[in-house]
CSV table of all heavy atoms in Angstrom, one decimal:
chain,number,residue,atom,x,y,z
A,1,MET,N,-21.6,-0.6,-24.0
A,1,MET,CA,-22.0,-1.8,-23.5
A,1,MET,C,-20.8,-2.8,-23.6
A,1,MET,O,-20.1,-2.9,-24.6
A,1,MET,CB,-23.2,-2.4,-24.3
A,1,MET,CG,-23.5,-3.8,-23.9
A,1,MET,SD,-25.0,-4.5,-24.7
A,1,MET,CE,-25.0,-3.9,-26.3
A,2,ASN,N,-20.5,-3.6,-22.5
A,2,ASN,CA,-19.5,-4.5,-22.5
A,2,ASN,C,-20.1,-5.9,-22.5
A,2,ASN,O,-21.1,-6.2,-21.9
A,2,ASN,CB,-18.6,-4.4,-21.2
A,2,ASN,CG,-17.9,-3.1,-21.2
A,2,ASN,OD1,-17.4,-2.7,-22.2
A,2,ASN,ND2,-17.8,-2.5,-20.0
A,3,LEU,N,-19.5,-6.8,-23.3
A,3,LEU,CA,-20.0,-8.2,-23.4
A,3,LEU,C,-19.0,-9.1,-22.7
A,3,LEU,O,-17.7,-8.9,-22.9
A,3,LEU,CB,-20.2,-8.7,-24.8
A,3,LEU,CG,-21.4,-8.0,-25.5
A,3,LEU,CD1,-21.4,-8.6,-27.0
A,3,LEU,CD2,-22.7,-8.3,-24.9
A,4,THR,N,-19.4,-10.0,-21.9
A,4,THR,CA,-18.6,-11.0,-21.3
A,4,THR,C,-19.0,-12.4,-21.7
A,4,THR,O,-20.2,-12.7,-21.7
A,4,THR,CB,-18.7,-10.9,-19.7
A,4,THR,OG1,-18.4,-9.5,-19.3
A,4,THR,CG2,-17.7,-11.8,-19.1
A,5,TYR,N,-18.0,-13.1,-22.2
A,5,TYR,CA,-18.3,-14.4,-22.7
A,5,TYR,C,-17.7,-15.5,-21.8
A,5,TYR,O,-16.6,-15.3,-21.3
A,5,TYR,CB,-17.8,-14.6,-24.2
A,5,TYR,CG,-18.5,-13.8,-25.2
A,5,TYR,CD1,-18.1,-12.5,-25.6
A,5,TYR,CD2,-19.7,-14.3,-25.8
A,5,TYR,CE1,-18.7,-11.8,-26.5
A,5,TYR,CE2,-20.4,-13.5,-26.7
A,5,TYR,CZ,-19.9,-12.3,-27.1
A,5,TYR,OH,-20.5,-11.5,-28.0
A,6,LYS,N,-18.3,-16.6,-21.7
A,6,LYS,CA,-17.8,-17.7,-21.0
A,6,LYS,C,-18.2,-19.0,-21.7
A,6,LYS,O,-19.1,-19.1,-22.5
A,6,LYS,CB,-18.3,-17.8,-19.5
A,6,LYS,CG,-19.8,-18.2,-19.4
A,6,LYS,CD,-20.1,-18.3,-17.9
A,6,LYS,CE,-21.5,-18.9,-17.8
A,6,LYS,NZ,-21.6,-20.3,-17.9
A,7,LYS,N,-17.4,-20.0,-21.6
A,7,LYS,CA,-17.7,-21.4,-22.1
A,7,LYS,C,-18.9,-21.9,-21.4
A,7,LYS,O,-19.0,-21.9,-20.2
A,7,LYS,CB,-16.5,-22.3,-22.0
A,7,LYS,CG,-16.7,-23.6,-22.6
A,7,LYS,CD,-15.4,-24.5,-22.5
A,7,LYS,CE,-15.6,-25.9,-23.1
A,7,LYS,NZ,-14.4,-26.7,-22.9
A,8,ALA,N,-19.9,-22.3,-22.2
A,8,ALA,CA,-21.1,-22.9,-21.6
A,8,ALA,C,-20.8,-24.2,-20.9
A,8,ALA,O,-20.0,-25.0,-21.3
A,8,ALA,CB,-22.1,-23.1,-22.7
A,9,THR,N,-21.6,-24.3,-19.8
A,9,THR,CA,-21.5,-25.6,-19.1
A,9,THR,C,-22.9,-26.2,-18.9
A,9,THR,O,-23.8,-25.6,-19.4
A,9,THR,CB,-20.9,-25.3,-17.6
A,9,THR,OG1,-21.8,-24.5,-16.9
A,9,THR,CG2,-19.6,-24.6,-17.7
A,10,MET,N,-23.0,-27.2,-18.1
A,10,MET,CA,-24.3,-27.9,-17.9
A,10,MET,C,-25.2,-26.9,-17.2
A,10,MET,O,-26.4,-27.1,-17.4
A,10,MET,CB,-24.1,-29.1,-17.0
A,10,MET,CG,-23.5,-30.3,-17.8
A,10,MET,SD,-24.5,-30.8,-19.2
A,10,MET,CE,-26.0,-31.4,-18.4
A,11,GLU,N,-24.7,-25.9,-16.5
A,11,GLU,CA,-25.6,-24.9,-15.9
A,11,GLU,C,-26.3,-24.1,-16.9
A,11,GLU,O,-27.3,-23.5,-16.6
A,11,GLU,CB,-24.8,-24.0,-15.0
A,11,GLU,CG,-24.2,-24.7,-13.8
A,11,GLU,CD,-23.3,-23.8,-13.0
A,11,GLU,OE1,-23.3,-22.6,-13.2
A,11,GLU,OE2,-22.7,-24.3,-12.0
A,12,ASP,N,-25.8,-24.1,-18.2
A,12,ASP,CA,-26.4,-23.2,-19.2
A,12,ASP,C,-27.3,-24.0,-20.2
A,12,ASP,O,-27.9,-23.5,-21.1
A,12,ASP,CB,-25.3,-22.6,-20.1
A,12,ASP,CG,-24.3,-21.8,-19.2
A,12,ASP,OD1,-24.8,-20.8,-18.6
A,12,ASP,OD2,-23.1,-22.1,-19.2
A,13,ILE,N,-27.6,-25.3,-19.9
A,13,ILE,CA,-28.3,-26.2,-20.8
A,13,ILE,C,-29.7,-25.6,-21.1
A,13,ILE,O,-30.2,-25.7,-22.2
A,13,ILE,CB,-28.3,-27.6,-20.3
A,13,ILE,CG1,-28.8,-28.6,-21.4
A,13,ILE,CG2,-29.2,-27.8,-19.0
A,13,ILE,CD1,-28.5,-30.0,-21.1
A,14,ASP,N,-30.4,-25.1,-20.1
A,14,ASP,CA,-31.8,-24.6,-20.4
A,14,ASP,C,-31.7,-23.4,-21.3
A,14,ASP,O,-32.5,-23.3,-22.2
A,14,ASP,CB,-32.5,-24.2,-19.0
A,14,ASP,CG,-32.8,-25.5,-18.2
A,14,ASP,OD1,-33.1,-26.5,-18.8
A,14,ASP,OD2,-32.8,-25.3,-17.0
A,15,VAL,N,-30.8,-22.5,-21.1
A,15,VAL,CA,-30.6,-21.3,-22.0
A,15,VAL,C,-30.3,-21.8,-23.4
A,15,VAL,O,-30.8,-21.2,-24.4
A,15,VAL,CB,-29.6,-20.3,-21.4
A,15,VAL,CG1,-29.3,-19.2,-22.4
A,15,VAL,CG2,-30.1,-19.8,-20.1
A,16,LEU,N,-29.4,-22.7,-23.5
A,16,LEU,CA,-29.0,-23.2,-24.9
A,16,LEU,C,-30.2,-23.8,-25.6
A,16,LEU,O,-30.4,-23.5,-26.7
A,16,LEU,CB,-27.9,-24.2,-24.7
A,16,LEU,CG,-26.5,-23.7,-24.3
A,16,LEU,CD1,-25.6,-24.8,-24.0
A,16,LEU,CD2,-25.9,-22.8,-25.4
A,17,THR,N,-30.9,-24.6,-24.9
A,17,THR,CA,-32.1,-25.3,-25.5
A,17,THR,C,-33.2,-24.3,-25.9
A,17,THR,O,-33.7,-24.3,-27.0
A,17,THR,CB,-32.6,-26.3,-24.5
A,17,THR,OG1,-31.6,-27.2,-24.2
A,17,THR,CG2,-33.8,-27.1,-25.1
A,18,GLU,N,-33.4,-23.3,-25.0
A,18,GLU,CA,-34.5,-22.3,-25.3
A,18,GLU,C,-34.0,-21.4,-26.5
A,18,GLU,O,-34.8,-21.1,-27.3
A,18,GLU,CB,-34.7,-21.5,-24.0
A,18,GLU,CG,-35.5,-22.2,-22.9
A,18,GLU,CD,-35.4,-21.5,-21.6
A,18,GLU,OE1,-35.1,-20.3,-21.5
A,18,GLU,OE2,-35.8,-22.2,-20.6
A,19,THR,N,-32.7,-21.1,-26.5
A,19,THR,CA,-32.2,-20.3,-27.6
A,19,THR,C,-32.3,-21.0,-28.9
A,19,THR,O,-32.7,-20.4,-29.9
A,19,THR,CB,-30.8,-19.8,-27.3
A,19,THR,OG1,-30.8,-19.1,-26.1
A,19,THR,CG2,-30.2,-19.0,-28.4
A,20,ARG,N,-32.0,-22.3,-28.9
A,20,ARG,CA,-32.1,-23.1,-30.2
A,20,ARG,C,-33.5,-23.1,-30.7
A,20,ARG,O,-33.8,-22.9,-31.8
A,20,ARG,CB,-31.7,-24.5,-29.9
A,20,ARG,CG,-31.9,-25.4,-31.1
A,20,ARG,CD,-31.1,-26.7,-31.0
A,20,ARG,NE,-31.5,-27.7,-32.0
A,20,ARG,CZ,-31.2,-27.6,-33.3
A,20,ARG,NH1,-30.6,-26.5,-33.8
A,20,ARG,NH2,-31.6,-28.5,-34.1
A,21,ILE,N,-34.5,-23.2,-29.8
A,21,ILE,CA,-35.9,-23.2,-30.2
A,21,ILE,C,-36.3,-21.8,-30.8
A,21,ILE,O,-36.9,-21.7,-31.8
A,21,ILE,CB,-36.9,-23.6,-29.1
A,21,ILE,CG1,-36.6,-25.1,-28.6
A,21,ILE,CG2,-38.3,-23.4,-29.5
A,21,ILE,CD1,-36.7,-26.1,-29.7
A,22,GLU,N,-35.9,-20.8,-30.1
A,22,GLU,CA,-36.1,-19.4,-30.6
A,22,GLU,C,-35.5,-19.2,-32.0
A,22,GLU,O,-36.2,-18.6,-32.9
A,22,GLU,CB,-35.6,-18.3,-29.6
A,22,GLU,CG,-36.3,-18.2,-28.3
A,22,GLU,CD,-35.7,-17.2,-27.4
A,22,GLU,OE1,-35.0,-16.4,-27.9
A,22,GLU,OE2,-35.9,-17.3,-26.2
A,23,VAL,N,-34.3,-19.6,-32.2
A,23,VAL,CA,-33.6,-19.5,-33.5
A,23,VAL,C,-34.4,-20.3,-34.6
A,23,VAL,O,-34.6,-19.8,-35.7
A,23,VAL,CB,-32.1,-19.9,-33.4
A,23,VAL,CG1,-31.5,-20.0,-34.8
A,23,VAL,CG2,-31.4,-18.9,-32.6
A,24,LEU,N,-34.7,-21.6,-34.2
A,24,LEU,CA,-35.5,-22.3,-35.2
A,24,LEU,C,-36.8,-21.7,-35.6
A,24,LEU,O,-37.2,-21.7,-36.8
A,24,LEU,CB,-35.7,-23.8,-34.7
A,24,LEU,CG,-34.5,-24.7,-34.6
A,24,LEU,CD1,-34.8,-25.9,-33.8
A,24,LEU,CD2,-33.9,-24.9,-36.0
A,25,ARG,N,-37.5,-21.2,-34.6
A,25,ARG,CA,-38.8,-20.5,-34.9
A,25,ARG,C,-38.6,-19.3,-35.8
A,25,ARG,O,-39.3,-19.1,-36.8
A,25,ARG,CB,-39.5,-20.1,-33.7
A,25,ARG,CG,-40.1,-21.2,-32.9
A,25,ARG,CD,-41.1,-20.6,-31.8
A,25,ARG,NE,-41.5,-21.7,-31.0
A,25,ARG,CZ,-42.5,-22.6,-31.3
A,25,ARG,NH1,-43.1,-22.5,-32.5
A,25,ARG,NH2,-42.9,-23.5,-30.5
A,26,ALA,N,-37.6,-18.5,-35.5
A,26,ALA,CA,-37.3,-17.3,-36.3
A,26,ALA,C,-36.8,-17.6,-37.7
A,26,ALA,O,-37.3,-17.1,-38.7
A,26,ALA,CB,-36.3,-16.4,-35.6
A,27,ALA,N,-35.9,-18.5,-37.8
A,27,ALA,CA,-35.3,-18.9,-39.1
A,27,ALA,C,-36.3,-19.5,-40.1
A,27,ALA,O,-36.2,-19.4,-41.3
A,27,ALA,CB,-34.1,-19.8,-38.9
A,28,ASN,N,-37.2,-20.3,-39.5
A,28,ASN,CA,-38.2,-21.0,-40.3
A,28,ASN,C,-39.6,-20.4,-40.2
A,28,ASN,O,-40.5,-20.9,-40.7
A,28,ASN,CB,-38.3,-22.5,-39.8
A,28,ASN,CG,-37.0,-23.2,-40.1
A,28,ASN,OD1,-36.7,-23.4,-41.2
A,28,ASN,ND2,-36.3,-23.5,-39.0
A,29,GLN,N,-39.6,-19.2,-39.7
A,29,GLN,CA,-40.9,-18.4,-39.6
A,29,GLN,C,-42.0,-19.2,-39.0
A,29,GLN,O,-43.1,-19.3,-39.6
A,29,GLN,CB,-41.3,-17.8,-40.9
A,29,GLN,CG,-40.2,-16.8,-41.5
A,29,GLN,CD,-40.5,-16.3,-42.8
A,29,GLN,OE1,-41.4,-16.8,-43.5
A,29,GLN,NE2,-39.8,-15.3,-43.2
A,30,LEU,N,-41.7,-19.9,-37.9
A,30,LEU,CA,-42.7,-20.8,-37.2
A,30,LEU,C,-43.5,-20.0,-36.1
A,30,LEU,O,-42.8,-19.4,-35.3
A,30,LEU,CB,-42.1,-22.0,-36.7
A,30,LEU,CG,-41.2,-22.9,-37.6
A,30,LEU,CD1,-40.5,-24.0,-36.9
A,30,LEU,CD2,-42.2,-23.5,-38.7
A,31,SER,N,-44.7,-20.1,-36.1
A,31,SER,CA,-45.5,-19.5,-35.1
A,31,SER,C,-45.4,-20.2,-33.7
A,31,SER,O,-44.9,-21.4,-33.7
A,31,SER,CB,-47.0,-19.4,-35.4
A,31,SER,OG,-47.6,-20.6,-35.4
A,32,ASP,N,-45.8,-19.6,-32.7
A,32,ASP,CA,-45.8,-20.3,-31.3
A,32,ASP,C,-46.8,-21.5,-31.3
A,32,ASP,O,-46.7,-22.3,-30.4
A,32,ASP,CB,-46.1,-19.3,-30.2
A,32,ASP,CG,-44.9,-18.3,-30.0
A,32,ASP,OD1,-43.8,-18.6,-30.4
A,32,ASP,OD2,-45.2,-17.2,-29.5
A,33,ASP,N,-47.7,-21.5,-32.3
A,33,ASP,CA,-48.7,-22.6,-32.3
A,33,ASP,C,-48.1,-23.9,-32.7
A,33,ASP,O,-48.6,-25.0,-32.5
A,33,ASP,CB,-49.8,-22.2,-33.3
A,33,ASP,CG,-50.6,-21.0,-32.9
A,33,ASP,OD1,-50.6,-20.7,-31.6
A,33,ASP,OD2,-51.2,-20.4,-33.8
A,34,ILE,N,-46.9,-23.8,-33.4
A,34,ILE,CA,-46.2,-25.1,-33.9
A,34,ILE,C,-45.6,-25.8,-32.7
A,34,ILE,O,-44.8,-25.1,-31.9
A,34,ILE,CB,-45.2,-24.7,-35.0
A,34,ILE,CG1,-45.8,-24.0,-36.1
A,34,ILE,CG2,-44.4,-26.0,-35.4
A,34,ILE,CD1,-46.8,-24.8,-36.9
A,35,ASP,N,-45.9,-27.0,-32.5
A,35,ASP,CA,-45.4,-27.8,-31.3
A,35,ASP,C,-43.9,-28.2,-31.6
A,35,ASP,O,-43.6,-29.0,-32.5
A,35,ASP,CB,-46.2,-29.0,-31.1
A,35,ASP,CG,-45.7,-29.8,-29.9
A,35,ASP,OD1,-44.9,-29.3,-29.1
A,35,ASP,OD2,-46.2,-31.0,-29.7
A,36,LEU,N,-43.0,-27.6,-30.9
A,36,LEU,CA,-41.6,-28.0,-31.0
A,36,LEU,C,-41.1,-28.7,-29.8
A,36,LEU,O,-39.9,-28.8,-29.5
A,36,LEU,CB,-40.7,-26.8,-31.3
A,36,LEU,CG,-40.9,-26.1,-32.6
A,36,LEU,CD1,-40.0,-24.9,-32.8
A,36,LEU,CD2,-40.7,-27.1,-33.8
A,37,SER,N,-42.0,-29.3,-29.0
A,37,SER,CA,-41.6,-30.0,-27.7
A,37,SER,C,-40.6,-31.2,-28.0
A,37,SER,O,-39.7,-31.4,-27.2
A,37,SER,CB,-42.8,-30.4,-26.9
A,37,SER,OG,-43.6,-31.3,-27.7
A,38,GLU,N,-40.9,-31.9,-29.1
A,38,GLU,CA,-39.9,-33.0,-29.4
A,38,GLU,C,-38.6,-32.5,-29.7
A,38,GLU,O,-37.5,-33.0,-29.3
A,38,GLU,CB,-40.5,-33.8,-30.5
A,38,GLU,CG,-39.6,-35.0,-30.9
A,38,GLU,CD,-39.6,-36.1,-29.8
A,38,GLU,OE1,-40.5,-36.2,-28.9
A,38,GLU,OE2,-38.5,-36.9,-29.8
A,39,VAL,N,-38.5,-31.4,-30.5
A,39,VAL,CA,-37.2,-30.8,-30.9
A,39,VAL,C,-36.5,-30.3,-29.6
A,39,VAL,O,-35.3,-30.5,-29.4
A,39,VAL,CB,-37.4,-29.7,-31.9
A,39,VAL,CG1,-36.1,-29.0,-32.2
A,39,VAL,CG2,-38.0,-30.2,-33.2
A,40,GLN,N,-37.3,-29.7,-28.8
A,40,GLN,CA,-36.7,-29.2,-27.5
A,40,GLN,C,-36.2,-30.3,-26.6
A,40,GLN,O,-35.1,-30.2,-26.1
A,40,GLN,CB,-37.8,-28.4,-26.7
A,40,GLN,CG,-37.2,-27.6,-25.5
A,40,GLN,CD,-38.2,-26.6,-25.0
A,40,GLN,OE1,-39.3,-26.4,-25.4
A,40,GLN,NE2,-37.8,-25.9,-24.0
A,41,GLU,N,-36.9,-31.4,-26.5
A,41,GLU,CA,-36.4,-32.5,-25.7
A,41,GLU,C,-35.2,-33.1,-26.3
A,41,GLU,O,-34.2,-33.4,-25.6
A,41,GLU,CB,-37.5,-33.5,-25.6
A,41,GLU,CG,-37.2,-34.7,-24.8
A,41,GLU,CD,-38.3,-35.8,-24.7
A,41,GLU,OE1,-39.5,-35.5,-24.9
A,41,GLU,OE2,-38.0,-36.9,-24.3
A,42,GLN,N,-35.2,-33.3,-27.6
A,42,GLN,CA,-34.0,-33.9,-28.3
A,42,GLN,C,-32.8,-33.0,-28.2
A,42,GLN,O,-31.7,-33.4,-28.0
A,42,GLN,CB,-34.3,-34.2,-29.7
A,42,GLN,CG,-35.3,-35.4,-29.9
A,42,GLN,CD,-34.8,-36.6,-29.3
A,42,GLN,OE1,-33.7,-37.0,-29.4
A,42,GLN,NE2,-35.8,-37.3,-28.7
A,43,SER,N,-33.0,-31.7,-28.3
A,43,SER,CA,-32.0,-30.7,-28.2
A,43,SER,C,-31.3,-30.7,-26.8
A,43,SER,O,-30.1,-30.7,-26.6
A,43,SER,CB,-32.5,-29.3,-28.5
A,43,SER,OG,-32.9,-29.2,-29.9
A,44,TYR,N,-32.2,-30.8,-25.8
A,44,TYR,CA,-31.8,-30.9,-24.4
A,44,TYR,C,-30.9,-32.1,-24.2
A,44,TYR,O,-29.8,-32.0,-23.6
A,44,TYR,CB,-33.0,-31.0,-23.4
A,44,TYR,CG,-32.5,-31.0,-22.0
A,44,TYR,CD1,-32.5,-29.7,-21.3
A,44,TYR,CD2,-32.3,-32.1,-21.3
A,44,TYR,CE1,-32.1,-29.7,-20.0
A,44,TYR,CE2,-31.9,-32.1,-20.0
A,44,TYR,CZ,-31.8,-30.9,-19.3
A,44,TYR,OH,-31.4,-30.9,-18.0
A,45,HIS,N,-31.3,-33.3,-24.8
A,45,HIS,CA,-30.5,-34.5,-24.6
A,45,HIS,C,-29.2,-34.4,-25.4
A,45,HIS,O,-28.1,-34.8,-24.9
A,45,HIS,CB,-31.3,-35.8,-25.1
A,45,HIS,CG,-32.4,-36.1,-24.2
A,45,HIS,ND1,-32.3,-36.3,-22.8
A,45,HIS,CD2,-33.7,-36.2,-24.4
A,45,HIS,CE1,-33.4,-36.6,-22.3
A,45,HIS,NE2,-34.4,-36.5,-23.3
A,46,TYR,N,-29.2,-33.8,-26.5
A,46,TYR,CA,-28.0,-33.5,-27.3
A,46,TYR,C,-27.0,-32.7,-26.5
A,46,TYR,O,-25.8,-33.0,-26.3
A,46,TYR,CB,-28.3,-32.8,-28.6
A,46,TYR,CG,-27.0,-32.3,-29.3
A,46,TYR,CD1,-26.1,-33.1,-29.9
A,46,TYR,CD2,-26.7,-30.9,-29.2
A,46,TYR,CE1,-25.0,-32.6,-30.5
A,46,TYR,CE2,-25.6,-30.4,-29.7
A,46,TYR,CZ,-24.7,-31.3,-30.4
A,46,TYR,OH,-23.5,-30.7,-30.9
A,47,TYR,N,-27.4,-31.6,-26.0
A,47,TYR,CA,-26.6,-30.7,-25.2
A,47,TYR,C,-26.1,-31.4,-24.0
A,47,TYR,O,-24.9,-31.2,-23.6
A,47,TYR,CB,-27.2,-29.4,-24.8
A,47,TYR,CG,-27.4,-28.4,-26.0
A,47,TYR,CD1,-28.7,-27.9,-26.3
A,47,TYR,CD2,-26.3,-28.0,-26.7
A,47,TYR,CE1,-28.8,-27.0,-27.3
A,47,TYR,CE2,-26.5,-27.1,-27.8
A,47,TYR,CZ,-27.7,-26.6,-28.1
A,47,TYR,OH,-27.9,-25.7,-29.1
A,48,GLN,N,-26.9,-32.1,-23.3
A,48,GLN,CA,-26.6,-32.9,-22.1
A,48,GLN,C,-25.3,-33.8,-22.4
A,48,GLN,O,-24.4,-33.8,-21.6
A,48,GLN,CB,-27.7,-33.7,-21.6
A,48,GLN,CG,-27.7,-34.2,-20.3
A,48,GLN,CD,-29.0,-34.9,-19.9
A,48,GLN,OE1,-29.6,-35.5,-20.7
A,48,GLN,NE2,-29.3,-34.6,-18.6
A,49,LYS,N,-25.4,-34.5,-23.5
A,49,LYS,CA,-24.3,-35.4,-23.9
A,49,LYS,C,-23.1,-34.6,-24.4
A,49,LYS,O,-21.9,-34.9,-23.9
A,49,LYS,CB,-24.7,-36.4,-24.9
A,49,LYS,CG,-23.7,-37.4,-25.4
A,49,LYS,CD,-24.2,-38.2,-26.6
A,49,LYS,CE,-23.1,-39.1,-27.1
A,49,LYS,NZ,-21.9,-38.4,-27.6
A,50,ALA,N,-23.3,-33.7,-25.3
A,50,ALA,CA,-22.2,-33.1,-26.0
A,50,ALA,C,-21.4,-32.1,-25.1
A,50,ALA,O,-20.2,-32.0,-25.2
A,50,ALA,CB,-22.8,-32.3,-27.2
A,51,LEU,N,-22.1,-31.4,-24.1
A,51,LEU,CA,-21.3,-30.6,-23.2
A,51,LEU,C,-20.5,-31.4,-22.3
A,51,LEU,O,-19.4,-30.9,-21.9
A,51,LEU,CB,-22.3,-29.7,-22.4
A,51,LEU,CG,-23.0,-28.6,-23.2
A,51,LEU,CD1,-24.0,-27.9,-22.3
A,51,LEU,CD2,-22.0,-27.6,-23.8
A,52,CYS,N,-20.9,-32.6,-21.9
A,52,CYS,CA,-20.1,-33.4,-21.1
A,52,CYS,C,-18.9,-34.1,-21.8
A,52,CYS,O,-17.8,-34.2,-21.2
A,52,CYS,CB,-21.0,-34.5,-20.4
A,52,CYS,SG,-22.1,-33.9,-19.2
A,53,ASP,N,-19.1,-34.5,-23.0
A,53,ASP,CA,-18.0,-35.2,-23.7
A,53,ASP,C,-17.2,-34.3,-24.6
A,53,ASP,O,-16.2,-34.7,-25.2
A,53,ASP,CB,-18.5,-36.4,-24.5
A,53,ASP,CG,-19.4,-36.1,-25.7
A,53,ASP,OD1,-19.4,-34.9,-26.1
A,53,ASP,OD2,-20.0,-37.0,-26.2
A,54,GLY,N,-17.5,-33.0,-24.6
A,54,GLY,CA,-16.7,-32.0,-25.3
A,54,GLY,C,-16.9,-31.9,-26.8
A,54,GLY,O,-16.1,-31.3,-27.6
A,55,THR,N,-17.9,-32.6,-27.3
A,55,THR,CA,-18.2,-32.6,-28.8
A,55,THR,C,-19.0,-31.4,-29.3
A,55,THR,O,-19.2,-31.2,-30.4
A,55,THR,CB,-19.0,-33.9,-29.2
A,55,THR,OG1,-20.2,-34.0,-28.5
A,55,THR,CG2,-18.1,-35.1,-29.0
A,56,HIS,N,-19.4,-30.5,-28.3
A,56,HIS,CA,-20.0,-29.2,-28.6
A,56,HIS,C,-19.5,-28.2,-27.7
A,56,HIS,O,-19.5,-28.3,-26.5
A,56,HIS,CB,-21.6,-29.3,-28.4
A,56,HIS,CG,-22.3,-28.1,-28.9
A,56,HIS,ND1,-22.8,-27.9,-30.1
A,56,HIS,CD2,-22.6,-27.0,-28.2
A,56,HIS,CE1,-23.4,-26.8,-30.2
A,56,HIS,NE2,-23.2,-26.2,-29.0
A,57,ILE,N,-19.0,-27.1,-28.3
A,57,ILE,CA,-18.5,-26.0,-27.6
A,57,ILE,C,-19.5,-24.8,-27.8
A,57,ILE,O,-19.8,-24.5,-29.0
A,57,ILE,CB,-17.1,-25.6,-28.0
A,57,ILE,CG1,-16.1,-26.7,-27.9
A,57,ILE,CG2,-16.7,-24.3,-27.2
A,57,ILE,CD1,-15.9,-27.1,-26.5
A,58,ALA,N,-20.0,-24.2,-26.8
A,58,ALA,CA,-20.9,-23.0,-26.9
A,58,ALA,C,-20.4,-21.9,-26.0
A,58,ALA,O,-19.7,-22.2,-25.0
A,58,ALA,CB,-22.3,-23.4,-26.5
A,59,ARG,N,-20.7,-20.7,-26.4
A,59,ARG,CA,-20.3,-19.5,-25.6
A,59,ARG,C,-21.6,-18.9,-25.1
A,59,ARG,O,-22.6,-18.8,-25.8
A,59,ARG,CB,-19.6,-18.6,-26.4
A,59,ARG,CG,-18.3,-19.1,-26.9
A,59,ARG,CD,-17.2,-19.0,-25.8
A,59,ARG,NE,-15.9,-19.4,-26.3
A,59,ARG,CZ,-15.2,-20.4,-25.8
A,59,ARG,NH1,-15.6,-21.1,-24.8
A,59,ARG,NH2,-14.1,-20.7,-26.3
A,60,SER,N,-21.6,-18.5,-23.9
A,60,SER,CA,-22.7,-17.8,-23.3
A,60,SER,C,-22.3,-16.4,-23.0
A,60,SER,O,-21.2,-16.2,-22.5
A,60,SER,CB,-23.1,-18.5,-22.0
A,60,SER,OG,-24.1,-17.8,-21.4
A,61,GLY,N,-23.1,-15.4,-23.4
A,61,GLY,CA,-22.7,-14.0,-23.2
A,61,GLY,C,-23.6,-13.3,-22.3
A,61,GLY,O,-24.8,-13.5,-22.3
A,62,ALA,N,-23.1,-12.3,-21.6
A,62,ALA,CA,-23.9,-11.5,-20.8
A,62,ALA,C,-23.4,-10.0,-21.0
A,62,ALA,O,-22.2,-9.8,-21.2
A,62,ALA,CB,-23.8,-11.8,-19.3
A,63,SER,N,-24.3,-9.1,-21.0
A,63,SER,CA,-23.9,-7.7,-21.2
A,63,SER,C,-24.0,-7.0,-20.0
A,63,SER,O,-24.8,-7.2,-19.1
A,63,SER,CB,-24.8,-7.1,-22.3
A,63,SER,OG,-26.1,-7.0,-21.9
A,64,SER,N,-23.2,-6.0,-19.9
A,64,SER,CA,-23.3,-5.0,-18.7
A,64,SER,C,-23.1,-3.6,-19.2
A,64,SER,O,-22.4,-3.4,-20.2
A,64,SER,CB,-22.2,-5.3,-17.7
A,64,SER,OG,-20.9,-5.2,-18.3
A,65,VAL,N,-23.8,-2.7,-18.7
A,65,VAL,CA,-23.8,-1.3,-19.1
A,65,VAL,C,-22.7,-0.5,-18.4
A,65,VAL,O,-22.3,-0.8,-17.3
A,65,VAL,CB,-25.1,-0.6,-19.0
A,65,VAL,CG1,-25.1,0.8,-19.4
A,65,VAL,CG2,-26.2,-1.4,-19.7
């Protein structure tokens, strides 16, 4: 399997936000019943600002077989 990484852009904001919520649920053992909509909204706004002004660098990876 080969992994290809690229610097995340605004096009990746939904994936970054969804991944953050998944990680928070797993790390804190939170069920899907716990409402994280406020965290998701705030995370989206954070990434929106930070990706534009360069204060957050993220990598997005895709695998190919």
